[in-house]
Amino acid sequence: MATPTIQTKTTRAMRWPLVLLVAFAALVPRVANPSEAITIDETLWIDRSANFIEAVFDGRLDDAWASGHPGVTTMWIGGLAQKTLPENAPLRDRYARARIAMAVADVGLLVLVWWLAASLFGLFAGSAGAMLLAFDPFLIANQRVLHLDGLLTVAMAASLLALMRALRLNDRGWLRWSGVLAGVAFLTKQPSAFLVPATLILLWRDGSGIKQRFLHWLWPAVAVFVVAWPVIWVWPWKPLSLLISSTGKGATDAGDAFFLGRHVRDPGPLFYPVAFIWRATIVTLPAVIAATVWAARRRATEPAARDALRLLALGLGFVVMMTVGAKKGDRYGLPGYGLAYLAAGIFIAHQLRGRSRAVIAAAAIALAALHAAPGLALHPYEQESYNWAVGGPATAKHVLTVGWGDGLDEAARDLHRMPELSGATVATTRMHPFVDFYEGDVIRIEESALMTPDGPQPDLVLFYLSSLQTGRYDTIWARYRDAEPLHEIRVAGLPLARVYRAAS
């Protein structure tokens, strides 16, 4: 039974304006200023993408791989986009072209999520959920970059919604399309493996047999995975070994993390609930909480509540899976958060059911503004948008790792504009992406005379916020903490990067 929705004579006519609105709203912040606020990991993916496509075009299929993530979708998109540029294109142009291509792919999947959600839960509920995704600052931040988690979020959501549509209509065609979308997710990042148990559980809950329908879902997923990753054609065991080794590393190698005011190896089970609180918005946090209470109470009598509860359960299941691994990051929970936002859209639509068009329009505008404005005001630094309901960036810096390398490319450009600093040697706590855009000499602060007696003497020293949070540089930072920086990149009140003249 379909979720109740607001019915008007113009509902059908509203579909195309709504889909255009969703697409436009999603695309604009994702493609604006595409060469700004470069992040740390993109340094890897810009080269991986180019090398992947070159290997495919040259017929070196055994070289068409880069990591066990596996990141194949990102490499196809970013690599093909870079092929449209001249070989000597500047690095910023390469980033811009690859990022725009990634944003278009993300928005295409987001529109599919809207269409599927609208068909399942009603036009208004589907549109509300899609708009929460389209305007979410954290999702925007991860879909305007050449990376994995933003694409994974919409690919997984689309696969699960297609599966729910297949079960509702008893349609094997949609079951296969769900498998195709699962294949896209599998090619993007390993946590998409969650789709396998999730699909089995949904098939089991639906009844009517599992095995045959699961096979109808599985073979398109496997086909997409094999066809789109050329190394499998010539070296079939290589991807498997990459995936196994990468999974083991992610489960046991926590790396460095800053959580709740201290440097930790594994933040533990509280990490994703806390990360969600700060990465949600002043709209989505209360909406998800209210949707959870409403869905739990009304599941026996309201089909819409059962739909919302199913999405919330899937989102929670994904987050629980991610909690098992030692390595944690706020962006790793995005696929779970996205499903929760779709559930929140169902709840919002249900609360506005039967209201006048004027009330609905006013509520939609107000909610969209509250949800989107804090993040959009920071563009292109949506990565530093945190939930103002819990203090925003001012409190986030005491809770989570802040800064993903964004701001370092701007720091490099700003230093070039200071003639007196031309050719200065910079010692930095973060190499990338600063070293990619700075034309002078760059050395790690650990290797400089500031920390190593025999190291080279820098002219400038650059401290990046996330580096300082770990406490690794406390001793040397104490020498500069109270000094006036020569230059500073400040976003939302956060000093992302600070540059000082090096002490002799």
Side-chain angles (χ1 to χ4, degrees):
M1 181 176 179
T3 299
T5 186
I6 299 167
Q7 298 292 336
T8 71
K9 294 180 180 180
T10 58
T11 296
R12 187 179 298 274
M14 288 171 61
R15 286 186 177 272
W16 280 111
L18 277 173
V19 72
L20 292 174
L21 177 63
V22 170
F24 180 77
L27 190 62
V28 169
R30 287 162 173 80
V31 299
N33 304 105
S35 63
E36 306 295 322
I38 306 300
T39 64
I40 295 170
D41 290 3
E42 286 181 283
T43 300
L44 296 173
W45 290 107
I46 198 74
D47 290 332
R48 286 173 174 173
S49 299
N51 294 338
F52 176 87
I53 289 299
E54 288 298 330
V56 173
F57 279 33
D58 292 345
R60 296 179 286 105
L61 301 186
D62 53 339
D63 291 332
W65 61 276
S67 76
H69 282 300
V72 175
T73 48
T74 296
M75 292 189 292
W76 273 113
I77 294 167
L80 289 173
Q82 291 181 73
K83 287 291 285 185
T84 64
L85 290 168
E87 291 187 6
N88 61 346
L91 183 58
R92 283 194 183 275
D93 290 352
R94 291 171 58 197
Y95 273 114
R97 190 64 56 90
R99 281 173 154 205
I100 289 172
M102 180 61 74
V104 170
D106 285 328
V107 171
L109 282 171
L110 184 56
V111 169
L112 178 59
V113 167
W114 168 84
W115 188 88
L116 289 166
S119 68
L120 283 165
F121 315 130
L123 181 61
F124 185 42
S127 298
M131 291 299 281
L132 290 177
L133 290 174
F135 280 129
D136 181 65
F138 193 38
L139 186 58
I140 292 172
N142 282 275
Q143 290 189 329
R144 65 176 303 276
V145 298
L146 186 67
H147 209 255
L148 312 174
D149 300 284
L151 183 65
L152 179 68
T153 298
V154 285
M156 289 184 65
S159 178
L160 289 169
L161 291 174
L163 175 62
M164 293 168 69
R165 179 175 173 84
L167 298 179
R168 182 165 294 180
L169 300 178
N170 192 25
D171 187 329
R172 285 186 177 178
W174 277 107
L175 195 63
R176 297 187 187 102
W177 276 114
S178 175
V180 168
L181 292 163
V184 173
F186 294 157
L187 286 166
T188 302
K189 200 173 183 184
Q190 289 177 330
S192 58
F194 173 77
L195 290 172
V196 175
T199 296
L200 287 169
I201 290 171
L202 289 175
L203 290 173
W204 170 69
R205 293 282 297 172
D206 183 67
S208 304
I210 298 176
K211 183 177 179 180
Q212 188 175 15
R213 290 188 298 170
F214 180 68
L215 291 175
H216 276 285
W217 177 89
L218 184 61
W219 75 256
V222 173
V224 169
F225 192 83
V226 171
V227 168
W229 200 355
V231 71
I232 297 177
W233 309 347
V234 295
W235 204 0
W237 56 89
K238 183 61 179 179
L240 181 61
S241 65
L242 283 170
L243 293 171
I244 292 173
S245 63
S246 183
T247 300
K249 184 177 180 181
T252 59
D253 184 7
D256 292 324
F258 175 83
F259 184 58
L260 296 179
R262 60 193 181 93
H263 180 215
V264 297
R265 295 292 294 174
D266 182 349
L270 286 178
F271 179 81
Y272 286 107
V274 171
F276 175 73
I277 290 171
W278 262 266
R279 281 306 193 176
T281 69
I282 200 169
V283 171
T284 51
L285 180 60
V288 169
I289 294 172
T292 302
V293 174
W294 166 74
R297 288 181 174 178
R298 299 293 183 86
R299 66 186 185 280
T301 57
E302 293 279 357
R306 290 195 291 274
D307 288 333
L309 193 62
R310 188 176 295 114
L311 290 169
L312 289 165
L314 289 167
L316 178 61
F318 179 83
V319 170
V320 169
M321 182 193 76
M322 296 305 297
T323 300
V324 173
K327 187 176 181 180
K328 296 177 176 65
D330 51 3
R331 67 180 183 274
Y332 301 164
L334 265 171
Y337 307 161
L339 293 171
Y341 295 162
L342 290 173
I346 295 175
F347 170 74
I348 291 170
H350 190 272
Q351 300 310 302
L352 292 175
R353 184 176 57 177
R355 307 288 184 178
S356 68
R357 293 183 192 176
V359 169
I360 293 170
I365 292 171
L367 290 174
L370 287 171
H371 178 54
L376 295 179
L378 299 178
H379 184 81
Y381 289 97
E382 286 90 349
Q383 189 67 226
E384 276 60 62
S385 179
Y386 293 91
N387 190 355
W388 288 99
V390 290
T395 57
K397 67 182 180 180
H398 302 295
V399 178
L400 299 168
T401 301
V402 174
W404 194 16
D406 42 326
L408 289 174
D409 62 312
E410 183 178 345
R413 181 172 54 200
D414 290 349
L415 292 180
H416 290 154
R417 293 171 177 169
M418 302 178 185
E420 71 277 14
L421 300 178
S422 177
T425 298
V426 180
T428 177
T429 62
R430 279 286 188 187
M431 290 293 285
H432 295 286
F434 181 78
V435 69
D436 301 320
F437 294 97
Y438 185 67
E439 295 177 3
D441 292 331
V442 183
I443 53 177
R444 298 183 187 278
I445 195 170
E446 297 93 329
E447 299 170 358
S448 73
L450 301 174
M451 295 184 70
T452 302
D454 297 330
Q457 175 64 40
D459 303 303
L460 306 172
V461 56
L462 186 157
F463 293 97
Y464 193 69
L465 179 55
S466 63
S467 303
L468 296 176
Q469 286 179 297
T470 65
R472 190 185 313 150
Y473 302 102
D474 281 354
T475 301
I476 187 170
W477 171 236
R479 300 165 59 185
Y480 295 89
R481 185 193 308 273
D482 299 324
E484 185 71 20
L486 180 67
H487 185 64
E488 186 176 54
I489 303 296
R490 185 173 285 268
V491 178
L494 298 173
L496 282 184
R498 282 169 280 193
V499 181
Y500 300 83
R501 291 196 181 277
S504 58

PDB file of all heavy atoms in Angstrom, residues 344-370:
ATOM      1  N   ALA A 344      12.923  11.091   7.270  1.00  0.00           N
ATOM      2  CA  ALA A 344      12.481  12.385   7.781  1.00  0.00           C
ATOM      3  C   ALA A 344      11.567  13.086   6.779  1.00  0.00           C
ATOM      4  O   ALA A 344      10.603  13.770   7.169  1.00  0.00           O
ATOM      5  CB  ALA A 344      13.693  13.263   8.093  1.00  0.00           C
ATOM      6  N   GLY A 345      11.848  12.914   5.477  1.00  0.00           N
ATOM      7  CA  GLY A 345      10.983  13.488   4.452  1.00  0.00           C
ATOM      8  C   GLY A 345       9.584  12.915   4.517  1.00  0.00           C
ATOM      9  O   GLY A 345       8.586  13.640   4.361  1.00  0.00           O
ATOM     10  N   ILE A 346       9.468  11.602   4.757  1.00  0.00           N
ATOM     11  CA  ILE A 346       8.154  10.970   4.904  1.00  0.00           C
ATOM     12  C   ILE A 346       7.425  11.571   6.103  1.00  0.00           C
ATOM     13  O   ILE A 346       6.222  11.886   6.043  1.00  0.00           O
ATOM     14  CB  ILE A 346       8.303   9.445   5.080  1.00  0.00           C
ATOM     15  CG1 ILE A 346       8.886   8.828   3.808  1.00  0.00           C
ATOM     16  CG2 ILE A 346       6.960   8.804   5.415  1.00  0.00           C
ATOM     17  CD1 ILE A 346       9.192   7.338   3.935  1.00  0.00           C
ATOM     18  N   PHE A 347       8.137  11.737   7.203  1.00  0.00           N
ATOM     19  CA  PHE A 347       7.530  12.295   8.418  1.00  0.00           C
ATOM     20  C   PHE A 347       7.042  13.724   8.185  1.00  0.00           C
ATOM     21  O   PHE A 347       5.922  14.081   8.566  1.00  0.00           O
ATOM     22  CB  PHE A 347       8.552  12.271   9.558  1.00  0.00           C
ATOM     23  CG  PHE A 347       8.120  13.035  10.769  1.00  0.00           C
ATOM     24  CD1 PHE A 347       7.142  12.528  11.609  1.00  0.00           C
ATOM     25  CD2 PHE A 347       8.687  14.271  11.065  1.00  0.00           C
ATOM     26  CE1 PHE A 347       6.735  13.238  12.742  1.00  0.00           C
ATOM     27  CE2 PHE A 347       8.293  14.989  12.176  1.00  0.00           C
ATOM     28  CZ  PHE A 347       7.310  14.472  13.018  1.00  0.00           C
ATOM     29  N   ILE A 348       7.879  14.548   7.560  1.00  0.00           N
ATOM     30  CA  ILE A 348       7.493  15.938   7.297  1.00  0.00           C
ATOM     31  C   ILE A 348       6.242  15.992   6.428  1.00  0.00           C
ATOM     32  O   ILE A 348       5.305  16.762   6.693  1.00  0.00           O
ATOM     33  CB  ILE A 348       8.661  16.700   6.643  1.00  0.00           C
ATOM     34  CG1 ILE A 348       9.802  16.888   7.649  1.00  0.00           C
ATOM     35  CG2 ILE A 348       8.199  18.053   6.105  1.00  0.00           C
ATOM     36  CD1 ILE A 348      11.087  17.414   7.042  1.00  0.00           C
ATOM     37  N   ALA A 349       6.208  15.170   5.371  1.00  0.00           N
ATOM     38  CA  ALA A 349       5.039  15.145   4.488  1.00  0.00           C
ATOM     39  C   ALA A 349       3.797  14.708   5.241  1.00  0.00           C
ATOM     40  O   ALA A 349       2.700  15.256   5.033  1.00  0.00           O
ATOM     41  CB  ALA A 349       5.305  14.199   3.313  1.00  0.00           C
ATOM     42  N   HIS A 350       3.943  13.732   6.125  1.00  0.00           N
ATOM     43  CA  HIS A 350       2.790  13.250   6.888  1.00  0.00           C
ATOM     44  C   HIS A 350       2.250  14.330   7.814  1.00  0.00           C
ATOM     45  O   HIS A 350       1.029  14.480   7.970  1.00  0.00           O
ATOM     46  CB  HIS A 350       3.192  12.022   7.703  1.00  0.00           C
ATOM     47  CG  HIS A 350       2.030  11.323   8.338  1.00  0.00           C
ATOM     48  ND1 HIS A 350       1.551  11.674   9.582  1.00  0.00           N
ATOM     49  CD2 HIS A 350       1.229  10.312   7.895  1.00  0.00           C
ATOM     50  CE1 HIS A 350       0.521  10.905   9.887  1.00  0.00           C
ATOM     51  NE2 HIS A 350       0.311  10.072   8.887  1.00  0.00           N
ATOM     52  N   GLN A 351       3.146  15.111   8.415  1.00  0.00           N
ATOM     53  CA  GLN A 351       2.705  16.168   9.323  1.00  0.00           C
ATOM     54  C   GLN A 351       1.993  17.298   8.587  1.00  0.00           C
ATOM     55  O   GLN A 351       1.141  17.983   9.166  1.00  0.00           O
ATOM     56  CB  GLN A 351       3.906  16.731  10.093  1.00  0.00           C
ATOM     57  CG  GLN A 351       4.636  15.713  10.944  1.00  0.00           C
ATOM     58  CD  GLN A 351       3.715  14.909  11.827  1.00  0.00           C
ATOM     59  OE1 GLN A 351       2.977  15.465  12.640  1.00  0.00           O
ATOM     60  NE2 GLN A 351       3.737  13.589  11.669  1.00  0.00           N
ATOM     61  N   LEU A 352       2.333  17.492   7.330  1.00  0.00           N
ATOM     62  CA  LEU A 352       1.714  18.575   6.545  1.00  0.00           C
ATOM     63  C   LEU A 352       0.532  18.101   5.710  1.00  0.00           C
ATOM     64  O   LEU A 352      -0.055  18.886   4.962  1.00  0.00           O
ATOM     65  CB  LEU A 352       2.762  19.214   5.633  1.00  0.00           C
ATOM     66  CG  LEU A 352       3.877  19.999   6.348  1.00  0.00           C
ATOM     67  CD1 LEU A 352       4.926  20.474   5.357  1.00  0.00           C
ATOM     68  CD2 LEU A 352       3.291  21.185   7.111  1.00  0.00           C
ATOM     69  N   ARG A 353       0.209  16.822   5.830  1.00  0.00           N
ATOM     70  CA  ARG A 353      -0.896  16.262   5.048  1.00  0.00           C
ATOM     71  C   ARG A 353      -2.195  16.997   5.362  1.00  0.00           C
ATOM     72  O   ARG A 353      -2.544  17.200   6.518  1.00  0.00           O
ATOM     73  CB  ARG A 353      -1.049  14.784   5.362  1.00  0.00           C
ATOM     74  CG  ARG A 353      -2.103  14.077   4.536  1.00  0.00           C
ATOM     75  CD  ARG A 353      -2.126  12.600   4.828  1.00  0.00           C
ATOM     76  NE  ARG A 353      -2.358  12.333   6.253  1.00  0.00           N
ATOM     77  CZ  ARG A 353      -2.474  11.120   6.762  1.00  0.00           C
ATOM     78  NH1 ARG A 353      -2.337  10.058   5.982  1.00  0.00           N
ATOM     79  NH2 ARG A 353      -2.677  10.960   8.059  1.00  0.00           N
ATOM     80  N   GLY A 354      -2.901  17.382   4.311  1.00  0.00           N
ATOM     81  CA  GLY A 354      -4.187  18.052   4.476  1.00  0.00           C
ATOM     82  C   GLY A 354      -4.089  19.549   4.665  1.00  0.00           C
ATOM     83  O   GLY A 354      -5.118  20.228   4.741  1.00  0.00           O
ATOM     84  N   ARG A 355      -2.873  20.095   4.764  1.00  0.00           N
ATOM     85  CA  ARG A 355      -2.719  21.537   4.920  1.00  0.00           C
ATOM     86  C   ARG A 355      -2.939  22.239   3.587  1.00  0.00           C
ATOM     87  O   ARG A 355      -2.871  21.641   2.522  1.00  0.00           O
ATOM     88  CB  ARG A 355      -1.318  21.871   5.450  1.00  0.00           C
ATOM     89  CG  ARG A 355      -0.942  21.133   6.712  1.00  0.00           C
ATOM     90  CD  ARG A 355      -1.685  21.638   7.909  1.00  0.00           C
ATOM     91  NE  ARG A 355      -1.251  20.976   9.127  1.00  0.00           N
ATOM     92  CZ  ARG A 355      -1.718  21.254  10.334  1.00  0.00           C
ATOM     93  NH1 ARG A 355      -2.654  22.191  10.472  1.00  0.00           N
ATOM     94  NH2 ARG A 355      -1.282  20.609  11.398  1.00  0.00           N
ATOM     95  N   SER A 356      -3.169  23.538   3.658  1.00  0.00           N
ATOM     96  CA  SER A 356      -3.372  24.311   2.440  1.00  0.00           C
ATOM     97  C   SER A 356      -2.060  24.448   1.686  1.00  0.00           C
ATOM     98  O   SER A 356      -0.973  24.277   2.245  1.00  0.00           O
ATOM     99  CB  SER A 356      -3.912  25.699   2.776  1.00  0.00           C
ATOM    100  OG  SER A 356      -2.929  26.463   3.451  1.00  0.00           O
ATOM    101  N   ARG A 357      -2.173  24.775   0.404  1.00  0.00           N
ATOM    102  CA  ARG A 357      -0.967  24.958  -0.402  1.00  0.00           C
ATOM    103  C   ARG A 357      -0.080  26.060   0.155  1.00  0.00           C
ATOM    104  O   ARG A 357       1.148  25.962   0.125  1.00  0.00           O
ATOM    105  CB  ARG A 357      -1.342  25.291  -1.838  1.00  0.00           C
ATOM    106  CG  ARG A 357      -2.017  24.175  -2.582  1.00  0.00           C
ATOM    107  CD  ARG A 357      -2.258  24.606  -4.019  1.00  0.00           C
ATOM    108  NE  ARG A 357      -3.140  23.693  -4.716  1.00  0.00           N
ATOM    109  CZ  ARG A 357      -3.568  23.875  -5.949  1.00  0.00           C
ATOM    110  NH1 ARG A 357      -3.180  24.949  -6.616  1.00  0.00           N
ATOM    111  NH2 ARG A 357      -4.376  22.995  -6.524  1.00  0.00           N
ATOM    112  N   ALA A 358      -0.701  27.124   0.662  1.00  0.00           N
ATOM    113  CA  ALA A 358       0.069  28.238   1.202  1.00  0.00           C
ATOM    114  C   ALA A 358       0.885  27.799   2.407  1.00  0.00           C
ATOM    115  O   ALA A 358       2.064  28.166   2.555  1.00  0.00           O
ATOM    116  CB  ALA A 358      -0.862  29.380   1.584  1.00  0.00           C
ATOM    117  N   VAL A 359       0.272  27.011   3.282  1.00  0.00           N
ATOM    118  CA  VAL A 359       0.972  26.531   4.472  1.00  0.00           C
ATOM    119  C   VAL A 359       2.115  25.603   4.062  1.00  0.00           C
ATOM    120  O   VAL A 359       3.232  25.686   4.594  1.00  0.00           O
ATOM    121  CB  VAL A 359       0.004  25.809   5.425  1.00  0.00           C
ATOM    122  CG1 VAL A 359       0.773  25.079   6.532  1.00  0.00           C
ATOM    123  CG2 VAL A 359      -0.982  26.799   6.016  1.00  0.00           C
ATOM    124  N   ILE A 360       1.829  24.709   3.117  1.00  0.00           N
ATOM    125  CA  ILE A 360       2.857  23.772   2.660  1.00  0.00           C
ATOM    126  C   ILE A 360       4.028  24.523   2.027  1.00  0.00           C
ATOM    127  O   ILE A 360       5.198  24.230   2.306  1.00  0.00           O
ATOM    128  CB  ILE A 360       2.263  22.766   1.659  1.00  0.00           C
ATOM    129  CG1 ILE A 360       1.252  21.862   2.370  1.00  0.00           C
ATOM    130  CG2 ILE A 360       3.354  21.929   1.013  1.00  0.00           C
ATOM    131  CD1 ILE A 360       0.432  21.009   1.432  1.00  0.00           C
ATOM    132  N   ALA A 361       3.721  25.499   1.176  1.00  0.00           N
ATOM    133  CA  ALA A 361       4.776  26.271   0.513  1.00  0.00           C
ATOM    134  C   ALA A 361       5.609  27.032   1.532  1.00  0.00           C
ATOM    135  O   ALA A 361       6.848  27.053   1.459  1.00  0.00           O
ATOM    136  CB  ALA A 361       4.167  27.230  -0.501  1.00  0.00           C
ATOM    137  N   ALA A 362       4.943  27.662   2.507  1.00  0.00           N
ATOM    138  CA  ALA A 362       5.665  28.423   3.528  1.00  0.00           C
ATOM    139  C   ALA A 362       6.549  27.506   4.361  1.00  0.00           C
ATOM    140  O   ALA A 362       7.704  27.838   4.668  1.00  0.00           O
ATOM    141  CB  ALA A 362       4.669  29.169   4.418  1.00  0.00           C
ATOM    142  N   ALA A 363       6.008  26.339   4.731  1.00  0.00           N
ATOM    143  CA  ALA A 363       6.789  25.387   5.528  1.00  0.00           C
ATOM    144  C   ALA A 363       7.987  24.874   4.741  1.00  0.00           C
ATOM    145  O   ALA A 363       9.100  24.750   5.279  1.00  0.00           O
ATOM    146  CB  ALA A 363       5.899  24.221   5.956  1.00  0.00           C
ATOM    147  N   ALA A 364       7.780  24.581   3.442  1.00  0.00           N
ATOM    148  CA  ALA A 364       8.871  24.074   2.613  1.00  0.00           C
ATOM    149  C   ALA A 364       9.984  25.104   2.480  1.00  0.00           C
ATOM    150  O   ALA A 364      11.176  24.776   2.595  1.00  0.00           O
ATOM    151  CB  ALA A 364       8.341  23.683   1.236  1.00  0.00           C
ATOM    152  N   ILE A 365       9.621  26.352   2.267  1.00  0.00           N
ATOM    153  CA  ILE A 365      10.623  27.413   2.114  1.00  0.00           C
ATOM    154  C   ILE A 365      11.381  27.623   3.417  1.00  0.00           C
ATOM    155  O   ILE A 365      12.615  27.739   3.431  1.00  0.00           O
ATOM    156  CB  ILE A 365       9.949  28.720   1.655  1.00  0.00           C
ATOM    157  CG1 ILE A 365       9.410  28.564   0.226  1.00  0.00           C
ATOM    158  CG2 ILE A 365      10.935  29.886   1.725  1.00  0.00           C
ATOM    159  CD1 ILE A 365       8.553  29.717  -0.232  1.00  0.00           C
ATOM    160  N   ALA A 366      10.664  27.643   4.527  1.00  0.00           N
ATOM    161  CA  ALA A 366      11.309  27.864   5.822  1.00  0.00           C
ATOM    162  C   ALA A 366      12.257  26.728   6.175  1.00  0.00           C
ATOM    163  O   ALA A 366      13.393  26.960   6.611  1.00  0.00           O
ATOM    164  CB  ALA A 366      10.237  28.019   6.905  1.00  0.00           C
ATOM    165  N   LEU A 367      11.798  25.499   5.978  1.00  0.00           N
ATOM    166  CA  LEU A 367      12.633  24.356   6.301  1.00  0.00           C
ATOM    167  C   LEU A 367      13.863  24.298   5.394  1.00  0.00           C
ATOM    168  O   LEU A 367      14.976  24.000   5.855  1.00  0.00           O
ATOM    169  CB  LEU A 367      11.833  23.061   6.187  1.00  0.00           C
ATOM    170  CG  LEU A 367      10.760  22.834   7.250  1.00  0.00           C
ATOM    171  CD1 LEU A 367       9.944  21.589   6.928  1.00  0.00           C
ATOM    172  CD2 LEU A 367      11.374  22.714   8.638  1.00  0.00           C
ATOM    173  N   ALA A 368      13.669  24.562   4.099  1.00  0.00           N
ATOM    174  CA  ALA A 368      14.802  24.546   3.170  1.00  0.00           C
ATOM    175  C   ALA A 368      15.830  25.607   3.540  1.00  0.00           C
ATOM    176  O   ALA A 368      17.041  25.359   3.491  1.00  0.00           O
ATOM    177  CB  ALA A 368      14.299  24.758   1.742  1.00  0.00           C
ATOM    178  N   ALA A 369      15.351  26.796   3.920  1.00  0.00           N
ATOM    179  CA  ALA A 369      16.273  27.872   4.289  1.00  0.00           C
ATOM    180  C   ALA A 369      17.055  27.519   5.553  1.00  0.00           C
ATOM    181  O   ALA A 369      18.280  27.695   5.607  1.00  0.00           O
ATOM    182  CB  ALA A 369      15.491  29.168   4.488  1.00  0.00           C
ATOM    183  N   LEU A 370      16.361  27.027   6.571  1.00  0.00           N
ATOM    184  CA  LEU A 370      17.042  26.663   7.810  1.00  0.00           C
ATOM    185  C   LEU A 370      18.035  25.525   7.592  1.00  0.00           C
ATOM    186  O   LEU A 370      19.108  25.500   8.191  1.00  0.00           O
ATOM    187  CB  LEU A 370      16.004  26.249   8.868  1.00  0.00           C
ATOM    188  CG  LEU A 370      15.178  27.372   9.490  1.00  0.00           C
ATOM    189  CD1 LEU A 370      14.052  26.780  10.338  1.00  0.00           C
ATOM    190  CD2 LEU A 370      16.055  28.275  10.349  1.00  0.00           C
TER     191      LEU A 370
END
